């Protein structure tokens, strides 16, 4: 039998090239991350997003054997840090761990936020949901949402509420409450949730919507009292506190935090990161530390998480439009 050597050599070369290609992919996958990873948090140090990010990333770092460094890039309602992450090289070495307020609320508030929440990002992993609460100064005469509504209706316009600023999540949630309850309460915007909470503690403003990670210390110390839980279900950190929805059926929000990568990040890198986050969230000590912050693990597949983001974008666009809030 006569063998055509050129054909045989071509075949061997093709097989070798194919093997090298697969080996290269495998090496790239197993080698990641081979150097420190920067994780942009588009909110300030010490806030809810920052605290949750550091808890989860510490375990992710241990699992993947590489440093995951938090980079707090604040400003413009999260737009500065989010826009920075959107433009980063899609190689898995710049990620973002952000909140729903920055990822799905800000695009509805700002005419030009500097990023597209769908086109510019690959959803990596849902990370956590946080408890949010309507809190009041202990001296405030109402002790529940029902009593607040009765008081506000008896004295329209006499009650004010503090927020972290126009268009922020706690402002918009309070506006939904105002509209659904049919009450007249006055908005007092601050520059941060911490500043708003501080003035409610001091009695300058009677009530505010706050995240549990930001307010649980005040609540446990008796400096704030809870009128109602914003989430659809009662939260483990405050099992005896009723939800606002128990008084106003249909009311309920689940603020969340999630990890994203720039669009175009290799799917094997996204999959590896997703797996590490899932393992981190399954760890009892991570769950306990999140619970101390009033947060819970939120575990979804990457595709499910992406679908949830799209749904939330539509919901918040409607809420922002109805509230009349706008930031240019």
């Amino acid at each position: 039998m006569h063998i055509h050597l050129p054909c045989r050599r071509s075949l061997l070369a093709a097989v070798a090239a194919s093997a090298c290609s697969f080996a290269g992919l495998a090496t790239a996958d197993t080698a990641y991350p081979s150097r420190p990873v920067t994780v942009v948090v588009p909110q300030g140090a010490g806030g809810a997003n920052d605290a949750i990010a550091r808890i989860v990333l510490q375990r992710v770092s241990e699992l993947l054997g590489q440093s995951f460094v938090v980079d707090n890039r604040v400003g413009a309602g999260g737009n500065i840090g989010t826009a920075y992450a959107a433009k980063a090289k899609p190689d898995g070495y710049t990620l973002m761990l952000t909140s729903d307020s920055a990822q799905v609320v800000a695009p509805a508030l700002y005419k030009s936020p500097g990023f597209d929440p769908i086109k510019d990002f690959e959803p990596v992993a849902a990370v956590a949901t946080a408890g949010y609460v309507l809190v009041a100064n202990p001296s405030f005469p109402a002790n529940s949402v029902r009593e607040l509504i009765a008081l506000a209706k008896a004295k329209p316009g006499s009650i004010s509420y503090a927020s972290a600023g126009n268009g922020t999540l706690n402002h918009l949630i309070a506006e939904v409450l105002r509209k659904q309850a049919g009450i007249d309460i006055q908005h007092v915007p601050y520059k941060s949730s911490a500043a708003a909470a501080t003035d409610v503690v001091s009695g300058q403003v009677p009530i505010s919507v706050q995240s549990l990670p930001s307010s649980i210390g005040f609540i446990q110390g008796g400096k704030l009292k809870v009128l109602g839980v914003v989430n659809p279900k009662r939260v483990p950190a405050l099992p005896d506190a009723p939800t606002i929805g128990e008084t106003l059926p249909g009311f309920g929000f689940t603020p969340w935090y999630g990890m994203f990568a720039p669009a175009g990040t290799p799917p094997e890198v996204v999959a590896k990161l997703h797996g590490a986050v899932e393992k981190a969230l399954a760890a009892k000590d991570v769950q306990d530390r999140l619970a101390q912050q009033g947060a819970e693990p939120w575990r979804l597949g990457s595709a499910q998480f992406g679908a949830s983001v799209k749904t939330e974008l539509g919901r918040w666009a409607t809420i922002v439009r109805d509230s009349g809030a706008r930031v240019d």
Side-chain angles (χ1 to χ4, degrees):
M1 179 182 293
H2 183 69
I3 298 175
H4 297 283
L5 290 177
C7 293
R8 185 183 182 191
R9 288 172 182 158
S10 298
L11 179 61
L12 290 172
V15 171
S18 177
C20 288
S21 176
F22 282 117
L25 284 173
T27 301
D29 183 28
T30 54
Y32 175 84
S34 60
R35 53 187 170 86
V37 177
T38 297
V39 183
V40 175
V41 170
Q43 289 84 25
N49 190 20
D50 181 71
I52 289 168
R54 291 177 190 277
I55 290 169
V56 175
L57 291 174
Q58 180 180 340
R59 181 52 56 88
V60 169
S61 175
E62 293 168 2
L63 289 167
L64 296 182
Q66 191 56 259
S67 297
F68 279 68
V69 182
V70 171
D71 179 8
N72 297 98
R73 288 184 177 258
V74 302
N79 289 349
I80 289 176
T82 307
Y84 173 83
K87 296 174 176 63
K89 186 177 179 180
D91 58 3
Y93 288 96
T94 299
L95 308 171
M96 179 175 70
L97 205 155
T98 190
S99 66
D100 54 349
S101 62
Q103 195 70 4
V104 299
V105 178
L109 278 170
Y110 290 82
K111 186 176 181 180
S112 301
F115 64 93
D116 185 304
I118 301 300
K119 294 179 181 179
D120 289 343
F121 292 98
E122 301 282 353
V124 175
V127 173
T129 58
Y132 264 63
V133 285
L134 176 63
V135 294
N137 182 276
S139 66
F140 186 61
N143 293 305
S144 68
V145 172
R146 191 176 303 279
E147 291 180 7
L148 166 66
I149 293 171
L151 186 63
K153 287 187 174 180
K155 299 179 178 180
S158 65
I159 299 171
S160 57
Y161 71 91
S163 84
N166 186 40
T168 56
L169 194 61
N170 44 20
H171 168 218
L172 294 173
I173 290 172
E175 282 298 295
V176 174
L177 171 63
R178 180 191 64 77
K179 184 176 180 180
Q180 192 167 336
I183 56 178
D184 180 12
I185 54 177
Q186 304 300 309
H187 180 212
V188 181
Y190 285 77
K191 291 184 177 181
S192 69
S193 288
T198 297
D199 266 15
V200 176
V201 168
S202 69
Q204 296 297 312
V205 183
I207 62 174
S208 180
V209 171
Q210 291 285 327
S211 73
L212 268 180
S214 299
S215 61
I216 196 164
F218 290 130
I219 294 167
Q220 292 172 339
K223 296 180 178 179
L224 290 174
K225 63 182 178 181
V226 178
L227 302 185
V229 172
V230 166
N231 304 61
K233 297 179 181 179
R234 296 192 183 198
V235 294
L238 300 169
D240 297 326
T243 67
I244 295 173
E246 290 173 43
T247 300
L248 295 173
F251 185 97
F253 295 88
T254 306
W256 53 261
Y257 305 86
M259 180 182 286
F260 295 83
T265 300
E268 62 269 19
V269 170
V270 171
K272 193 166 190 177
L273 287 165
H274 177 85
V277 171
E278 282 287 293
K279 288 180 181 178
L281 295 176
K284 178 70 164 55
D285 63 317
V286 171
Q287 293 174 4
D288 289 344
R289 291 179 66 196
L290 288 173
Q292 290 170 4
Q293 296 290 327
E296 298 178 72
W298 186 34
R299 303 172 73 180
L300 289 179
S302 296
Q304 289 176 298
F305 180 39
S308 178
V309 170
K310 291 180 181 178
T311 300
E312 287 282 287
L313 277 166
R315 184 189 189 195
W316 281 106
T318 300
I319 291 171
V320 169
R321 184 184 66 239
D322 290 348
S323 74
R326 192 75 180 176
V327 183
D328 294 317

